[in-house]
Amino acid sequence: MKVRAEAAATTEEQILAASFQLFREQSYNQISLEDIAVQAQVTVQTVIRRFSSKEQLFRRVCENALNQAIGARDKALVGDINSAVEKLVDHYEKWGDLILHFLTQAAQISVVSQITEIGRTSHHQWIEYTFFPFLENLSPLLRYRRLAQLIAMTDVHSWKVFRGNLGLSRSETELAFIEV
């Protein structure tokens, strides 16, 4: 039984890894369960048996990635701007291109939209928690506006402008976030 359970877990990990790679490289609509099965070196039936549908598999892949990404970003020290920016840039260096890839698909694909909304909500909560010491004593209106400014300035699109469009180095990008 133990050997069988280990084999099942290994198969599941193969499918998740193959799916992650495909979802990272192609749009959701371009990928079939057959593509995933071929990449994972299993049958389509095995993929369906483990995850029931492409949508469920996508959700699981994204859940795993989101948990990993949030776990790393949450190591920022509350109220420490340098620590927050360092973890934010770490996060975008690893996940930024994938986030942008999903955001381009969100308007057309419901499940992708749902996942990006989870990410957006997570980002807002992280900003509110991490920068709480700078927000707590503000009037409600000013607090809301300052929170909106922090969310906008730390958005993945800002990282993309700094790193991709303007060609700033990682350290220059961190400095740009801090100075804003």
Side-chain angles (χ1 to χ4, degrees), residues 67-106:
N67 287 339
Q68 186 181 3
I70 289 171
R73 192 181 59 187
D74 282 351
K75 292 180 182 171
L77 303 174
V78 173
D80 183 336
I81 294 172
N82 291 338
S83 169
V85 166
E86 177 187 350
K87 295 303 177 199
L88 182 72
V89 173
D90 283 347
H91 172 75
Y92 287 149
E93 291 292 315
K94 183 168 184 177
W95 302 102
D97 290 332
L98 181 61
I99 294 166
L100 291 165
H101 177 62
F102 286 165
L103 287 171
T104 62
Q105 301 172 64

